Amino acid sequence: MKTKSEKMKKATIYLISALTLVITGFGAKAQGGLTPLVGVAHNYTVTPESTSNTLSWSVDQPSGYTINSQTVVTTTSVANITWTVAGTYKLRFTETNATTLCATTKEITVTVSNAFDVSVSSPAAVCNAADGVVNFSGTNATTSISIPVSMATGNSSFNPNWEFTFTLSSTPSSGVTIANVKAGATNLTATAGTYTATGLTSASGAGSVNITMDVTGNINTLIDVGLTITSAKELTYNTADKDNDDWTATQTLNAIPNTSAITTD
């Protein structure tokens, strides 16, 4: 026969296990539910005393999320919430006794982060199109270049369309022309000097597109073509890029030697 001490020890272990299950079910059942990323859904769960009671979920802000695909409370012990705007929220669950109208309220803090990031990097320098061409005719050459732009959402299950705007420049600024600008296969036209690549797709939480163009300039002059992103956002919730620390790139077109024609005696 078990002693009173053994019985109390067993009861204590059972109580700790039960409390752990409740806490796990409410706040941290899905790892990351307390610190989710924009665009990612998480389940939040409680175990009510009775499903005959009134059950409701609420958030302390009127927007920035959807609960079970709606921005309203839901009478269920599970709330599937997609957070759509970065910020700090108070998520509250209330169970109200159907007879006495007395209520129990539970609350957690949810900190939503934005991991949406569009970036561009400088390709390796290349020679202009006159490179190695025998007896190249003329002083200018047109060189086709490509600058890749990448996007990441921070989560493989969030695959939004996205867009970004950018400007193009050259050094030297005079004597150089940039034409036939494309995002992938789509022709782009500048508006007030700014291009917009939109409707870009993603998969597994990431996307990329090549910005291509034709650059015409002097074959004996080094030319730098700069691409600068001015804004970027995903198009499901219109979340802007988390930062702009990787928004510039330069493609260098190396000059060829200014060699004279061959002469003879």
Side-chain angles (χ1 to χ4, degrees):
M1 179 179 294
K2 294 182 178 179
T3 65
K4 182 177 180 181
S5 176
E6 289 174 327
K7 290 181 179 179
M8 290 181 64
K9 182 178 181 180
K10 183 177 180 180
T12 301
I13 293 173
Y14 176 82
L15 178 60
I16 293 173
S17 299
L19 287 173
T20 301
L21 180 61
V22 171
I23 293 171
T24 301
F26 181 71
K29 184 176 182 180
Q31 182 65 30
L34 294 178
T35 55
L37 298 176
V38 167
V40 180
H42 289 275
N43 284 331
Y44 300 85
T45 306
V46 295
T47 302
E49 179 182 83
S50 172
T51 55
S52 297
N53 290 334
T54 300
L55 313 178
S56 67
W57 295 90
S58 64
V59 181
D60 66 337
Q61 299 184 36
S63 62
Y65 57 90
T66 59
I67 302 179
N68 289 3
S69 301
Q70 303 176 59
T71 52
V72 295
V73 297
T74 178
T75 54
T76 177
S77 60
V78 180
N80 181 265
I81 302 179
T82 300
W83 303 97
T84 60
V85 178
T88 300
Y89 301 82
K90 297 291 186 181
L91 174 62
R92 178 174 293 182
F93 174 83
T94 301
E95 179 178 359
T96 304
N97 185 282
T99 302
T100 66
L101 301 184
C102 297
T104 295
T105 299
K106 302 292 184 179
E107 184 179 87
I108 58 173
T109 299
V110 179
T111 303
V112 183
S113 300
N114 177 19
F116 175 74
D117 188 29
V118 174
S119 60
V120 65
S121 57
S122 299
V126 296
C127 299
N128 65 47
D131 173 46
V133 177
V134 177
N135 295 331
F136 184 84
S137 177
T139 57
N140 288 340
T142 298
T143 307
S144 296
I145 65 171
S146 178
I147 300 177
V149 179
S150 301
M151 180 277 284
T153 67
N155 190 288
S156 61
S157 63
F158 182 37
N159 304 307
N161 286 353
W162 54 293
E163 74 172 32
F164 64 96
T165 61
F166 63 96
T167 60
L168 296 172
S169 61
S170 69
T171 303
S173 56
S174 61
V176 177
T177 60
I178 300 174
N180 301 323
V181 180
K182 295 182 179 181
T186 302
N187 293 313
L188 301 180
T189 301
T191 301
T194 300
Y195 299 85
T196 298
T198 190
L200 306 172
T201 60
S202 64
S204 299
S208 64
V209 65
N210 287 325
I211 302 300
T212 60
M213 67 203 78
D214 294 332
V215 181
T216 302
N218 187 279
I219 61 176
N220 305 127
T221 301
L222 183 146
I223 299 172
D224 283 332
V225 177
L227 185 154
T228 301
I229 296 174
T230 57
S231 66
K233 66 179 180 178
E234 56 84 17
L235 298 178
T236 300
Y237 306 113
N238 291 320
T239 303
D241 193 308
K242 66 177 184 178
D243 55 39
N244 60 357
D245 62 353
D246 44 13
W247 278 11
T248 60
T250 300
Q251 172 68 81
T252 297
L253 302 181
N254 286 325
I256 64 170
N258 187 11
T259 308
S260 71
I262 298 173
T263 61
T264 186
D265 52 18

